[in-house]
Amino acid sequence: MAEQALSAAQVLDRAAGRRGRRFDLKRQPGFGVVALLCVAMLYAPILIVVGFAFNDSPSVTRWSSFSLAWFEKVLANGDIHNAARNTLVIASCATIIATLIATAAALATTRSRAWPGQTTVYTFINLPLVVPEIVTAVATASFFALLAQQVGISFGIGNLILTHSVFCIPFAYLPIRARLEDMDLTLEQAAADLYATPWQAFRRVTLPLLTPGISSGAALAFIISFDDFTITQLVAGAGQTTLPLYIWGQLHKVGVTPEVNAISAILLVVSILFVSLSFLVGRRR
Amino acid sequence: MAVAAEAPRIALAQAAAERRFLLGRRLLASPAMIVIGVFGILPLLIMFIYSFLVAATYGGVEWSFTTEAYVSFLFQRDIFDDTLQFVPDYLQIYLRTFVLAGFTTVASLIVGFPTAYFMATRPPSQRNFWVFLITLPFWTNLLIRTYAIQLIIRDEGLVNDLLRAIGLIDQPIHILYTNFAIMLGLLYSFLPFMVLPLYTSLEKLDFRLVEAGFDLYATRGRVLRRIVIPLAKPGIIAGCILVFIPALGAYVTPLILGGGKQHMIGSLIATQFGTSRNWPFGCAQAFILMAIVLLALLVYVRSTTGKSRVAHG
Amino acid sequence: MKLRLLGAAAVALLLAGGAARADGDLHIFNWGDYTNPKLIEKFQKQYNVKVTLDDYDSNETMLAKVRAGGTGYDVVVPSDYTVKIMIEEDMLAKTEPDQMENFKNVNPKFVGVYWDNGRHYTVPWQWGTTAFVVDTAKYKGDINTLALMFAPPPELQGRINVLDDMNSLFNAGLRYLNLPRCNSNPEDLKKLYDLLMGAKATWRTFDYDTIGKMTSGDVDLSQTWNGAARRIRLQRPTAAYAFPKEGIEGWMDNVAVLKDAKNMENAKLWQNFLMDPENAALISDFAKYSNGILGSDEFMKKLDPAFVDSPEFKIPAGLEPEFVPPCTKEVTDKYNKIWTALKK
């Protein structure tokens, strides 16, 4: 209440804002600048990566001249295609599985009084986050090996997909949970008042409101799976090389060449196209 | 009179409703429990058992029980005079990693919060574009991006070239292969994990509350501190968890940007499964780390579930 | 067993003519960027076998994976000490390369080796030495001494990269101190410890990416392998590979067949195939390291004339590369403690 002792100038200012100039109550000074700097910081390395994809010499540190040779090399390199395909398949499947499971789990654990066993669920879900990657890697590799040797079960590339799903679940879960916790309960209560069944209320009210959270969760899960290296390295079997493994394999004894930059540039273009497409499709509706 | 007669039936109905409620919740949670239980927890149990075994000569384990792995985290036989001594080396490595991860989390909050806020306050039609903009860089592989960061911060990299060109410095600043470089790399890797949860939280923010704040003559700063941030708390916490914990176990980024001169927990554990050929010790180190983090998480869970939540609007 | 081998030899003889009789798959697990695609193509055509290739970045990674089991790989390429470990732990199939048709081409000095005496399990792939490379424009003195790594002159201090490999680094240190390798003597270890801790301050990084470090200009001296040194020299002409008078380390990567390999016959064909001089030349032509097969130099001269004359492969007379066996658990434990103290 000490604020009430405002100067005359400030009072007039406020009045002017309310009357004439639009007072943007959402604006926070400097936040836009930070956001733009953030974007710039995020994109600087990308531009370099893409730039060096056109480098003539085999160096990723010294630029010599423009050349499309690396792109040709990538397009001709069957190993990279395999790796890229594996990576995309694993990441997509893991994301779908993880997001579905995480959504269900989030619905189960939020917006209610604590129920017996809830803490256990929460612990389970966060456990993959807490475990250092190298331990998950060795543990999972040993587990699948035991499964194959003693029981004779192996899911092929499903081994990798299941492993990825496990550590993707917490990443999908947290944004969905955050979103759920912030959601307006009254809307669902209103739906119930209007005689909607719980399933209808879920489908027509909860789910649409939850969509940003689910998208965030799915996006995080995909990135995590896409980039994973340590765990994939130990769990992957024959013919299951992914892009991170392929790139890392290049580093030792030979060194990085712009070939991997070319791969990245191609992937970037593909993902831009893909997202733009889904964006346009979404807008049509 | 009639109410008393109704009491047992009400109690029965309530019990049935309670059971349905529990069943519903448990059913929803079961896929997560099964998948994580079988493919996440079972392997970990195997590792836990390993941590109590003896290390085999060339790696792997021998099936005999010992607590040596845990003891050697703190006490080891001195190589020079063979006495059992307290060894602070591992604690030092753990502490350094925690501090680095902490700084990374704080930095990502400082950079991520304004960004998420900015994104959430764009007109709805623009918002998806901003989400797209933020996540697109992460479609390039992390390893390659980290090498690109190297390019920017190395002695003859872009930053130093720029600073020298405008005359601010004469000699290059050694950014690469320092702890700061590691933090930068981690910040870069984990930024979307801070921004996206924050964004989902902030996007749902009811700005009428903000308007109410302004009506009460609050400054922008006050509105931020007293209204926006408390309401964004779930997102902040989610973001911090998603950054801090993976940063603790990070392995590749510190290796490439830190120069490999100092261990972080990730490289320490990896070494145990590699040239050190001491799997039980690696497992023990991992479980010690997990124990610390799980404890903190449990404290958080106990303090947030069951509290009455303030609904917006 | 003998009969099967004779049979395999007979098949190999028949196939030498080019008529394809074998079929099926072969799953190879090798170091990254280490296998010539032309080599694989040639093998695929000759034997009608479909080959898959996956890679790893270190012996330890490969060992951890294979130890877990069920990998699906037939062939792996471990370094010398790793072969010894794998044989002792019964992970390799005894394919008897010494009885294969092309065995006569193997350089005799690589037959009686500590890790596979008589070559009952493995076939040479490539071999090299480990020392260091230094930019002679930045340092003008005599480069053939390990003192440059462990007691560097002022112009090199802070500009050095060492391999992030406990064994390579410690072996070099022990060589410099003229102490035995695989050392468990507390006094010797104290000297090693003091040496390393003192030198660490002058080192910039611990990294396997030696080529990147030298070509980007981050360091002026790097512990590295001879083939990598050659690649560095091609991009940074003043870089020269040293042959330290205190001693030089040797290593050899070998082609081994896993005990649980599903395509045993094809794996054996692969092993025999690699002992042919022309194919060995293809191996060397790709990663540019020496191979262990006699007669391949002829073919190398055609593929890459400059390669055979590279200074990195000309070891001075009197300097024998030392192939160090894996150390006992007792020694490794002590080494680990020093390594952690070095990196804490």
Side-chain angles (χ1 to χ4, degrees):
Chain A
M1 284 304 138
E3 272 106 327
Q4 289 188 322
L6 290 167
S7 73
Q10 282 171 313
V11 172
L12 281 171
D13 212 39
R14 297 265 162 102
R18 203 99 3 138
R19 243 200 344 254
R21 280 182 325 228
R22 274 182 346 114
F23 176 74
D24 184 0
L25 51 75
K26 292 188 184 177
R27 192 182 76 85
Q28 287 286 347
F31 275 24
V33 176
V34 175
L36 288 167
L37 274 174
C38 179
V39 171
M41 186 183 92
L42 284 177
Y43 277 86
I46 307 296
L47 293 171
I48 293 181
V49 167
V50 174
F52 268 93
F54 296 97
N55 192 10
D56 197 21
S57 84
S59 167
V60 285
T61 48
R62 302 213 174 285
W63 176 262
S64 69
S65 60
F66 189 89
S67 153
L68 285 175
W70 297 108
F71 286 93
E72 290 165 16
K73 209 164 175 234
V74 168
L75 290 173
N77 187 335
D79 289 337
I80 296 185
H81 296 168
N82 277 342
R85 193 172 357 107
N86 283 336
T87 315
L88 287 172
V89 165
I90 295 171
S92 312
C93 294
T95 303
I96 295 174
I97 297 176
T99 313
L100 284 171
I101 294 181
T103 310
L107 287 166
T109 53
T110 57
R111 297 187 314 160
S112 76
R113 55 171 180 72
W115 46 274
Q118 183 174 20
T119 319
T120 318
V121 177
Y122 199 78
T123 316
F124 262 53
I125 292 175
N126 281 299
L127 205 62
L129 262 184
V130 177
V131 184
E133 280 203 299
I134 184 68
V135 180
T136 315
V138 186
T140 319
S142 309
F143 173 71
F144 278 119
L146 263 158
L147 217 59
Q149 286 172 341
Q150 311 290 58
V151 189
I153 302 178
S154 168
F155 306 107
I157 205 166
N159 284 1
L160 260 183
I161 295 178
L162 283 163
T163 313
H164 278 231
S165 305
V166 169
F167 62 75
C168 285
I169 290 176
F171 284 97
Y173 173 79
L174 281 168
I176 301 180
R177 180 199 165 104
R179 177 68 171 189
L180 261 179
E181 279 177 356
D182 286 347
M183 259 171 64
D184 192 348
L185 278 166
T186 60
L187 286 170
E188 284 155 312
Q189 285 165 5
D193 284 341
L194 293 169
Y195 302 105
T197 65
W199 173 247
Q200 280 176 325
F202 174 72
R203 213 164 51 89
R204 298 295 202 79
V205 178
T206 318
L207 208 53
L209 285 173
L210 203 48
T211 309
I214 296 183
S215 309
S216 283
L220 276 178
F222 192 89
I223 293 170
I224 282 280
S225 168
F226 194 69
D227 258 348
D228 178 71
F229 164 66
T230 318
I231 297 178
T232 314
Q233 188 181 40
L234 286 185
V235 179
Q240 294 170 10
T241 306
T242 60
L243 273 178
L245 291 190
Y246 178 84
I247 293 167
W248 184 258
Q250 298 249 50
L251 294 177
H252 295 272
K253 292 207 170 177
V254 178
V256 185
T257 63
E259 195 179 24
V260 296
N261 292 40
I263 306 170
S264 299
I266 295 177
L267 277 173
L268 208 60
V269 169
V270 166
S271 54
I272 294 179
L273 285 172
F274 177 72
V275 178
S276 312
L277 223 73
S278 56
F279 186 61
L280 285 170
V281 167
R283 269 231 273 199
R284 216 159 282 270
R285 276 196 284 119
Chain B
M1 250 5 221
V3 176
E6 291 291 303
R9 230 180 311 159
I10 295 175
L12 269 168
Q14 277 179 333
E18 175 73 14
R19 272 201 309 276
R20 267 202 313 274
F21 166 75
L22 271 178
L23 187 68
R25 295 273 154 168
R26 290 203 173 125
L27 222 62
L28 276 174
S30 57
M33 299 291 278
I34 295 175
V35 171
I36 298 182
V38 173
F39 299 102
I41 305 228
L42 215 53
L44 280 180
L45 273 173
I46 300 176
M47 287 289 109
F48 187 63
I49 297 174
Y50 276 17
S51 70
F52 287 102
L53 299 178
V54 172
T57 320
Y58 295 125
V61 291
E62 275 169 26
W63 287 86
S64 37
F65 176 84
T66 172
T67 52
E68 191 186 331
Y70 287 95
V71 169
S72 45
F73 187 75
L74 291 174
F75 299 98
Q76 296 207 349
R77 297 216 159 272
D78 188 83
I79 24 177
F80 309 129
D81 54 32
D82 215 31
T83 58
L84 203 64
Q85 292 203 355
F86 171 69
V87 162
D89 296 358
Y90 300 102
L91 285 173
Q92 201 172 326
I93 295 173
Y94 271 59
L95 194 64
R96 177 183 333 115
T97 313
F98 270 82
V99 168
L100 214 61
F103 273 116
T104 306
T105 310
V106 168
S108 65
L109 196 57
I110 295 178
V111 175
F113 190 87
T115 311
Y117 185 88
F118 182 77
M119 283 164 63
T121 53
R122 294 308 91 206
S125 56
Q126 275 187 23
R127 284 187 207 158
N128 274 340
F129 169 73
W130 278 94
V131 173
F132 169 69
L133 205 63
I134 293 284
T135 46
L136 188 64
F138 298 88
W139 284 78
T140 44
N141 182 267
L142 180 64
L143 284 173
I144 308 175
R145 270 185 287 131
T146 313
Y147 273 94
I149 296 178
Q150 256 197 354
L151 257 177
I152 299 178
I153 58 176
R154 68 172 8 123
D155 288 355
E156 291 111 33
L158 293 172
V159 168
N160 273 314
D161 279 350
L162 190 69
L163 290 176
R164 283 164 104 171
I166 54 180
L168 266 179
I169 52 168
D170 282 325
Q171 290 298 325
I173 312 176
H174 295 305
I175 312 176
L176 190 54
Y177 309 132
T178 62
N179 279 341
F180 180 71
I182 296 180
M183 212 190 74
L184 214 61
L186 290 176
L187 175 67
Y188 190 86
S189 314
F190 296 123
L191 204 54
F193 305 133
M194 177 60 84
V195 171
L196 289 178
L198 271 177
Y199 165 75
T200 43
S201 216
L202 284 168
E203 207 226 353
K204 195 59 194 150
L205 188 66
D206 190 345
F207 279 91
R208 287 177 297 171
L209 291 168
V210 170
E211 186 175 0
F214 283 121
D215 282 343
L216 292 168
Y217 302 106
T219 61
R220 288 191 192 278
R222 275 216 168 212
V223 164
L224 189 63
R225 259 193 356 253
R226 302 285 287 268
I227 301 178
V228 178
I229 292 182
L231 286 173
K233 211 160 78 123
I236 295 180
I237 305 226
C240 287
I241 293 178
L242 280 176
V243 173
F244 185 69
I245 296 178
L248 280 179
Y251 170 51
V252 172
T253 308
L255 211 62
I256 298 178
L257 293 175
K261 261 184 106 164
Q262 287 180 319
H263 267 317
M264 298 233 318
I265 296 179
S267 52
L268 178 66
I269 296 179
T271 313
Q272 306 310 316
F273 290 103
T275 40
S276 293
R277 307 204 182 118
N278 197 343
W279 288 30
F281 197 24
C283 297
Q285 289 166 355
F287 278 97
I288 293 175
L289 173 67
M290 293 195 302
I292 301 175
V293 177
L294 265 175
L295 221 65
L297 273 180
L298 271 170
V299 165
Y300 161 61
V301 168
R302 292 270 157 175
S303 68
T304 56
T305 45
K307 266 205 245 175
S308 59
R309 308 211 52 83
V310 177
H312 304 191
Chain C
M1 187 58 161
K2 210 57 185 288
L3 207 62
R4 260 157 118 242
L5 286 162
L6 280 174
V11 171
L13 270 167
L14 282 167
L15 293 170
R21 290 290 185 88
D23 277 307
D25 302 323
L26 183 65
H27 300 293
I28 304 181
F29 199 29
N30 199 348
W31 296 78
D33 223 18
Y34 212 30
T35 320
N36 197 338
K38 295 200 198 106
L39 189 71
I40 295 188
E41 251 177 68
K42 191 171 175 195
F43 182 77
Q44 288 189 137
K45 273 214 201 78
Q46 195 168 331
Y47 296 106
N48 196 26
V49 170
K50 183 162 178 313
V51 176
T52 67
L53 177 68
D54 293 301
D55 41 68
Y56 54 85
D57 64 333
S58 72
N59 284 305
E60 274 64 33
T61 309
M62 183 270 288
L63 205 56
K65 265 188 101 152
V66 171
R67 182 173 276 119
T71 56
Y73 295 114
D74 304 307
V75 168
V76 293
V77 188
S79 300
D80 44 293
Y81 68 93
T82 312
V83 173
K84 182 130 205 306
I85 294 175
M86 290 177 91
I87 293 179
E88 253 176 63
E89 306 216 332
D90 202 24
M91 291 182 193
L92 299 182
K94 200 167 184 189
T95 52
E96 303 284 4
D98 57 322
Q99 314 220 356
M100 291 184 189
E101 187 215 351
N102 281 330
F103 183 69
K104 57 187 189 298
N105 300 317
V106 176
N107 190 331
K109 82 176 188 181
F110 292 122
V111 174
V113 288
Y114 81 79
W115 59 91
D116 184 11
N117 199 350
R119 292 286 177 184
H120 299 290
Y121 294 86
T122 62
V123 156
W125 175 258
Q126 291 186 75
W127 75 277
T129 55
T130 311
F132 63 89
V133 67
V134 61
D135 188 343
T136 51
K138 293 275 158 77
Y139 176 72
K140 314 277 185 181
D142 172 31
I143 66 169
N144 292 319
T145 165
L146 284 170
L148 289 187
M149 259 177 69
F150 295 104
E155 61 264 35
L156 288 175
Q157 288 181 12
R159 305 283 302 163
I160 297 177
N161 174 54
V162 297
L163 286 173
D164 194 14
D165 186 303
M166 181 176 80
N167 291 311
S168 293
L169 191 60
F170 285 20
N171 287 337
L174 289 166
R175 257 178 224 117
Y176 177 65
L177 293 170
N178 200 15
L179 296 171
R181 262 55 83 201
C182 278
N183 200 324
S184 58
N185 183 326
E187 281 152 30
D188 289 354
L189 288 177
K190 184 89 177 64
K191 292 195 194 123
L192 178 67
Y193 176 77
D194 291 335
L195 176 76
L196 293 171
M197 293 302 276
K200 184 191 169 181
T202 62
W203 296 336
R204 191 162 192 203
T205 53
F206 286 54
D207 202 338
Y208 275 111
D209 183 20
T210 57
I211 300 179
K213 290 277 177 300
M214 283 295 291
T215 53
S216 66
D218 281 346
V219 297
D220 298 320
L221 185 153
S222 174
Q223 188 183 18
T224 188
W225 316 280
N226 56 349
R230 184 183 157 280
R231 281 175 191 251
I232 293 171
R233 177 170 57 82
L234 291 176
Q235 292 193 54
R236 193 170 169 179
T238 46
Y241 187 63
F243 291 98
K245 57 181 191 279
E246 297 90 351
I248 197 170
E249 180 145 322
W251 54 266
M252 172 173 258
D253 293 331
N254 310 266
V255 179
V257 180
L258 290 179
K259 196 135 197 238
D260 60 355
K262 299 236 164 58
N263 300 294
M264 193 67 78
E265 294 312 312
N266 289 340
K268 291 192 198 150
L269 286 174
W270 177 248
Q271 279 188 316
N272 187 49
F273 181 74
L274 297 174
M275 292 193 280
D276 175 89
E278 191 173 358
N279 299 332
L282 279 176
I283 300 176
S284 289
D285 188 41
F286 188 70
K288 307 289 187 182
Y289 279 94
S290 319
N291 61 60
I293 308 295
L294 295 169
S296 69
D297 276 358
E298 308 291 306
F299 300 98
M300 273 310 293
K301 285 211 185 78
K302 287 189 221 145
L303 291 165
D304 185 354
F307 175 75
V308 184
D309 294 320
S310 301
E312 289 84 9
F313 303 107
K314 298 193 174 344
I315 305 176
L319 195 64
E320 273 303 309
E322 184 194 0
F323 293 84
V324 184
C327 303
T328 62
K329 185 162 177 221
E330 189 205 347
V331 173
T332 310
D333 278 346
K334 297 194 175 175
Y335 278 13
N336 286 338
K337 291 179 185 154
I338 303 182
W339 187 242
T340 311
L342 198 61
K343 286 239 206 165
K344 68 173 181 212

